[in-house]
């Protein structure tokens, strides 16, 4: 390794971190807009001053580095000899757009400071090597954790080719999401509901079970946040019971609704649904599904091939339990209202058979609590088995 061209985090300055934070703020402007591409921000700096800014707006449009170079040109600023701060390793391959490494070298950039590496093992580090061979100094790992966390869904999808799954639930302090009669509106307050909409905004698809459709007839849309691309809606409905008057079948976004049925579903019901929405038929065999009927492993792999990088599960207790105890969830977002519902028949946020031994309880990592009005929000990573 050429020490004059390759520097590690220990040698970076606070100035580098300050400009990387600006790039992170720019990257966040692409929230909910860039999938299946990552959110990326870039800042071009010359003589200690920002001369160009950019972020990735949407898949198929120029990457953040190109946006920053273009911005500098529009401002009448020179890019030659400048330092480029970018939250993710510049791409080095032809995709929907040309490689950013070529544009960086052509612009005469003398130094590139990067936050996170490309998670794709086939590409990771290659962008750096290309820049180094062209005489560009490279600093990597500046605010690495923050830059990587920004795209945890994308990173997961790139490595595993399945969506990053978040299980979301709004409940009372005793873990109930509805009364025995099914009444659930509204357990949590307005602030929590607004934050729930933000979670939808950042997701490619939202998933519920048929019981949620039957009980609540939800729209499953993103109503309070700006989003150019409507969210996909997925319903686990093994016997094709979705009612004809369900809102997800009749609104202007019905084409984005997918009903997942089993091969045992009555043919006339399946045919009726297929006239209105997309249908997926689960294989006859498999495990990991709701009561064994829908194979969630198969479903997640299928969605991964359809560029669904992030999936928000807003199911009832049985669906939530299937994802959590089946090992298919990576994160939870649990909203707690200062209420106690009680009742042995009230509906739980996580149902299923549970575990027999306390030692087998699902562990959460990176736990964070946040106050939302009178409610509390718990977000955490779901520990993998044996972790």
């Amino acid at each position: 390794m050429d020490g004059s061209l390759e520097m590690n985090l220990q040698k970076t300055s606070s100035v580098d971190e300050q400009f990387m934070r600006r790039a992170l703020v720019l990257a966040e402007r692409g929230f909910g807009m860039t999938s299946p591409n990552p959110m990326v921000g870039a800042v071009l700096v010359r003589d200690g001053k920002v001369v160009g800014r950019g972020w990735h707006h949407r898949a198929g449009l120029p990457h953040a580095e190109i946006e920053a170079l273009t911005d500098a040109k529009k401002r009448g600023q020179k890019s030659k000899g400048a330092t480029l701060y970018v939250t993710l390793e510049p791409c080095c391959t032809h995709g929907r757009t040309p490689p950013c490494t070529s544009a960086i070298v052509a612009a005469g950039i003398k130094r590139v400071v990067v936050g996170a590496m490309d998670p794709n093992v086939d590409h990771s580090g290659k962008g750096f090597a290309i820049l180094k061979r062209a005489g560009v100094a490279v600093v990597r790992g500046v605010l690495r954790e923050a830059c990587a966390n920004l795209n945890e869904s994308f990173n997961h999808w790139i490595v595993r080719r399945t969506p990053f799954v978040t299980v979301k639930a709004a409940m009372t302090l005793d873990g109930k999401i509805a009364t025995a009669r099914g009444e659930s509106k509204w357990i949590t307050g307005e602030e929590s509901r607004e934050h729930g909409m933000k979670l939808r905004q950042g997701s490619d698809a939202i998933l519920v079970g048929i019981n949620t459709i039957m009980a609540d007839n939800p729209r499953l849309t993103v109503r309070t946040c700006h989003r150019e691309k409507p969210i996909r809606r997925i319903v686990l409905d093994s016997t094709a019971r979705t009612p004809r008057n369900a809102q997800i079948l009749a609104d202007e976004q019905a084409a984005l609704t997918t009903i997942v049925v089993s091969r045992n579903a009555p043919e006339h019901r399946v045919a009726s649904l297929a006239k209105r929405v997309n249908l997926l038929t689960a294989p006859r065999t498999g495990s990991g599904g709701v009561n064994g009927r829908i194979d969630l492993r198969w479903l997640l792999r299928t969605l991964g091939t359809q560029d669904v990088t992030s999936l928000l599960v807003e199911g009832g207790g049985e669906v939530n339990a299937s994802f959590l105890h089946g090992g298919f969830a990576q994160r939870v977002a649990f909203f707690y209202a200062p209420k106690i519902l009680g009742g042995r028949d009230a509906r739980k946020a996580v149902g299923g058979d549970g575990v027999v031994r306390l030692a087998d309880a699902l562990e959460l990592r990176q736990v964070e609590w946040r106050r939302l009005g009178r409610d509390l929000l718990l977000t955490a990573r779901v520990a993998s088995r044996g972790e």
Side-chain angles (χ1 to χ4, degrees):
M1 182 180 295
D2 186 346
S4 65
L5 296 177
E6 182 77 16
M7 293 174 276
N8 58 31
L9 183 56
Q10 285 69 35
K11 293 182 180 180
T12 61
S13 67
S14 60
V15 172
D16 284 344
E17 293 186 356
Q18 290 173 16
F19 286 121
M20 187 61 72
R21 287 191 181 92
R22 293 194 187 188
L24 274 167
V25 171
L26 289 169
E28 290 172 354
R29 294 189 182 185
F31 180 73
M33 310 292 283
T34 63
S35 182
N37 286 359
M39 291 177 280
V40 185
V43 175
L44 196 62
V45 177
R46 185 181 175 88
D47 298 326
K49 296 181 180 180
V50 175
V51 296
R53 307 176 176 83
W55 71 93
H56 186 41
H57 293 251
R58 192 171 67 248
L61 294 183
H63 291 185
E65 301 93 320
I66 308 304
E67 290 281 354
L69 291 170
T70 302
D71 184 48
K73 186 175 181 179
K74 290 180 179 178
R75 294 165 177 257
Q77 300 289 335
K78 295 182 179 179
S79 298
K80 187 175 182 179
T83 294
L84 177 67
Y85 293 86
V86 59
T87 56
L88 182 66
E89 178 181 354
C91 68
C92 60
T93 58
H94 282 273
R96 297 186 186 185
T97 58
C100 291
T101 49
S102 299
I104 291 170
V105 172
I109 302 299
K110 71 173 183 179
R111 183 170 177 259
V112 174
V113 182
V114 177
M117 293 185 68
D118 190 328
N120 190 328
V121 294
D122 294 330
H123 303 156
S124 183
K126 292 185 178 180
F128 297 137
I130 291 172
L131 293 174
K132 288 166 59 181
R133 285 197 298 269
V136 180
V138 175
V139 180
R140 59 183 180 180
V142 177
L143 301 185
R144 177 178 57 239
E145 184 174 356
C147 291
N149 288 343
L150 180 70
N151 290 302
E152 63 178 352
S153 297
F154 171 80
N155 296 341
H156 175 94
W157 177 69
I158 282 292
V159 173
R160 293 178 172 82
R161 307 314 294 185
T162 58
F164 183 93
V165 176
T166 299
V167 174
K168 174 208 162 196
M171 68 193 83
T172 60
L173 288 179
D174 53 339
K176 306 297 175 59
I177 59 174
T179 67
R181 293 183 177 181
E183 184 182 354
S184 61
K185 294 184 179 180
W186 297 102
I187 286 179
T188 52
E190 184 177 346
E191 292 90 340
S192 292
R193 297 197 294 273
E194 287 180 358
H195 193 86
M197 282 295 156
K198 187 174 181 180
L199 291 178
R200 289 187 183 183
Q201 181 190 8
S203 303
D204 291 328
I206 180 173
L207 181 146
V208 300
I210 181 57
N211 289 336
T212 296
I213 298 298
M214 301 286 281
D216 300 333
N217 192 18
R219 293 181 60 201
L220 303 179
T221 57
V222 181
R223 296 185 291 276
T224 60
C225 303
H226 174 65
R227 180 186 171 98
E228 289 188 7
K229 184 172 66 173
I231 193 169
R232 281 190 60 179
R233 304 177 295 196
I234 300 167
V235 180
L236 301 183
D237 182 9
S238 60
T239 56
R241 291 187 293 142
T242 301
R244 289 192 173 189
N245 64 350
Q247 293 193 89
I248 58 169
L249 302 185
D251 64 14
E252 66 278 4
Q253 297 175 23
L256 292 169
T257 298
T258 298
I259 308 292
V260 187
V261 301
S262 73
R263 295 189 181 276
N264 296 325
E267 292 184 5
H268 69 282
R269 292 183 189 171
V270 172
S272 176
L273 289 174
K275 295 177 181 178
R276 301 188 179 195
V277 295
N278 302 303
L279 248 69
L280 277 178
T281 303
R284 291 186 185 278
T285 59
S287 60
V290 181
N291 296 328
R293 289 193 292 264
I294 300 295
D295 185 344
L296 296 184
R297 184 174 286 106
W298 160 83
L299 176 60
L300 292 175
R301 287 173 178 169
T302 300
L303 294 177
T305 65
Q306 298 174 358
D307 288 349
V308 176
T309 68
S310 55
L311 177 66
L312 184 65
V313 174
E314 293 191 16
E318 298 305 308
V319 171
N320 293 345
S322 293
F323 276 92
L324 289 168
H325 290 299
F328 302 110
Q330 284 71 52
R331 180 174 287 279
V332 297
F334 285 173
F335 297 82
Y336 290 92
K339 301 173 183 177
I340 296 176
L341 197 56
R344 63 178 58 88
D345 295 326
R347 300 179 185 180
K348 307 177 184 68
V350 182
D353 295 329
V355 298
V356 176
R357 301 185 308 157
L358 184 59
D360 295 329
L362 206 61
E363 293 282 348
L364 300 179
R365 301 280 188 263
Q366 302 174 23
V367 175
E368 295 181 3
W369 290 94
R370 178 176 175 180
R371 185 78 174 266
L372 294 171
R374 298 176 65 230
D375 303 332
L376 290 175
L377 167 62
L378 164 70
T379 57
R381 286 295 299 260
V382 179
S384 57
R385 297 297 182 185
E387 184 176 335

